[in-house]
Amino acid sequence: MAKSLPKRSEDYSLWYNEIVKRADLAEHSAVRGCMVIKPYGYSIWEKMQAEIDRMFKETGHTNAYFPLFVPKSYLSKEADHVEGFAKECAVVTHYRLKNADDGSGVVVDPEAKLEEELIVRPTSETVIWNTYKNWIQSYRDLPILVNQWANVVRWEMRTRLFLRTAEFLWQEGHTAHATKGEAEAETKQMLDVYAEFAECFMAMPVIKGVKTESERFPGAVDTYCIEALMQDGKALQAGTSHFLGQNFAKAFDVRFAGMDGKVDYVWGTSWGVSTRLMGALIMAHSDDQGLVLPPKLAPIQVVIVPIYKTDEQLKSIRKVADQIRTELRSSGISIKFDDRDTQSPGWKFAEYELKGVPLRIAIGPRDIENGTVEIARRDTKEKATYQTSAVCDAIRGLLDEIQSNIYRKAFDFRSDLTTKVNTYDEFKEALDGKGGFVMAHWDGTVETEEKIKAETKATIRCIPMDQEEENGHCIYSGKPSKGRVVFARAY
RNA sequence: CGGGGCGUAGCGCAGUCCGGUUAGCGUACCUGCUUUGGGAGCAGGGGGUCGCAGGUUCGAAUCCUGCCGCCCCGACCA
């Protein structure tokens, strides 16, 4: 009867797909590569959004909204940008349908062809810089610190729920500055925001770094990123922040008069995180029983399950449950009392485990008699009995403890799977053995990077920002190097 | 785009090779009774254009032709 998940150790990819569906996070839609985000999954995304949005506001940003459609000509104004995105764009060519002559349904009306095709945005730099052109004349108009929450479409060849879908939800920040230094500082600030969110809320340690030239965002001068490690030893890019230099300002002719009266191009940044974070969250902590959610992002932090035979028993359990619920709610904890009599307690236990609810309180006749409740932790599966009077304090403490425990667990896991290597043989051995992050010297050339990728499927995830200076030799070419970079096989 | 798989009840599948009563199983759903400290038991019940179109045949989920769609692996990819 137990409907167990596939085991991570046996088929990680199958486990991932199943957990997404079984925990009611998302499902495939009728359209290839697109997903339906279900209410429970969406409520986790909303928790993420709320925190990220708060952090944006705290750093001086405001939200706006730009159109879904990008005129085709805009995309080609920045050469690298169009090169990077052209192959995965959805294109709108017509604006009307009509009934087919043979009665077979509706067909595209050939009379209704658009003069200029519209691209469904894969990202919004072009529309936004075209707009900024009109917003900026002088240094007094700068900086512009705008973010938008939106959906974008990238026609990916192969998709995976949350990790890579044809349409996805994200936020994209687009800022404009008077100086290079200010734009660079903004790029790094937002990277810090992402890293803080990942570590403090998702309980997921990340490496901050810079992308190599070949992994850079099309149109950027520098791409900064946070890289996380998943339980199967593969890396996941969890967020990026781009220093755009004056590239888009030049492409869209966005100039401003400085204090000294001289006219110059504006400096730009863009940065984003997406529903891919949901995938990261799932893979960072969950186990073979289901989701494990960090308390700070769990839509339901505590669930109370009553165990009873008679209405009388339920009545006295409800009294205790209501008391606990009222007190915890007043300290901002989200708590659900599941008194449905349509499901058995055992069913509920399994269900809330699958959904990653951090704490479960069970109250039965035995507890009522003893003035106790049973609390079970999702992360360690430990159960303990508490005096009813001590429950609320215990819960508050346990939520904090779970948050830091799963972070520590993920951190230790990453430490175990981070290997320093000095030769190409050691490199391949580490990759094929335990996987994870492999720290190695690299000669700084695209050629070497490409050869390593072709031979091992490992890419340079980033050049870490806290890179230690260390003289060494490139594992591939033997040429001198001044520090290690992070290699991994990645999603 | 290459390789593999799948399409039969809400979901998961068997049946297809070798055509033949009324298309079956698990689960979910509905009703009733008994249950409830780890996915309850028993009894009864409802639910199907077998992906679509055409063909062969007395007869097609099953054979033939064409088409459509989705998933997985790979190549590709902020």
Side-chain angles (χ1 to χ4, degrees), chain A residues 146-330:
Chain A
V146 163
N147 174 65
Q148 86 164 343
W149 289 96
N151 58 338
V152 288
V153 168
R154 294 181 189 175
W155 216 264
E156 302 283 357
M157 290 176 182
R158 203 160 109 55
T159 58
R160 296 195 69 186
L161 292 168
F162 288 118
L163 296 175
R164 182 175 290 104
T165 45
E167 180 195 12
F168 56 94
L169 305 184
W170 76 345
Q171 59 67 216
E172 44 180 329
H174 295 272
T175 69
H177 307 265
T179 67
K180 182 183 181 191
E182 196 182 302
E184 282 177 328
E186 167 76 4
T187 310
K188 288 178 187 163
Q189 173 185 243
M190 299 324 286
L191 187 74
D192 288 341
V193 165
Y194 289 153
E196 189 190 332
F197 174 74
E199 302 200 327
C200 297
F201 289 89
M202 295 176 70
M204 180 177 77
V206 292
I207 295 178
K208 291 190 279 187
V210 191
K211 287 290 187 193
T212 61
E213 188 188 336
S214 58
E215 300 271 327
R216 196 177 288 154
F217 176 73
V221 173
D222 270 318
T223 288
Y224 293 82
C225 62
I226 51 171
E227 291 285 327
L229 188 63
M230 303 295 104
Q231 291 182 70
D232 60 348
K234 284 169 84 174
L236 182 75
Q237 177 177 300
T240 47
S241 183
H242 315 292
F243 170 60
L244 302 175
Q246 294 172 310
N247 291 351
F248 284 90
K250 285 178 179 166
F252 288 87
D253 195 32
V254 187
R255 288 177 291 181
F256 74 105
M259 263 187 278
D260 54 4
K262 284 185 189 155
V263 174
D264 194 9
Y265 289 105
V266 170
W267 299 85
T269 82
S270 67
W271 25 273
V273 294
S274 71
T275 36
R276 176 179 253 203
L277 287 180
M278 291 286 293
L281 189 68
I282 296 159
M283 289 198 288
H285 308 300
S286 302
D287 61 24
D288 293 348
Q289 275 67 51
L291 278 184
V292 174
L293 294 175
K296 287 185 184 176
L297 294 176
I300 302 166
Q301 293 171 304
V302 182
V303 64
I304 304 178
V305 176
I307 298 154
Y308 60 96
K309 290 193 170 93
T310 66
D311 283 351
E312 276 307 299
Q313 288 171 338
L314 178 59
K315 210 172 147 191
S316 41
I317 291 168
R318 189 191 303 280
K319 211 174 139 194
V320 177
D322 281 346
Q323 226 171 353
I324 295 172
R325 190 158 53 158
T326 306
E327 185 175 342
L328 288 180
R329 275 193 182 152
S330 71

Side-chain angles (χ1 to χ4, degrees), chain A residues 49-50 52-57 60-66 128 132 135 144-150 170-174 190 271:
Chain A
Q49 276 187 302
I52 296 168
D53 197 65
R54 179 186 56 74
M55 292 167 97
F56 289 168
K57 306 263 167 73
H61 302 84
T62 48
N63 289 328
Y65 188 78
F66 297 86
I128 289 178
Y132 283 180
W135 291 3
I144 294 179
L145 304 172
V146 163
N147 174 65
Q148 86 164 343
W149 289 96
W170 76 345
Q171 59 67 216
E172 44 180 329
H174 295 272
M190 299 324 286
W271 25 273

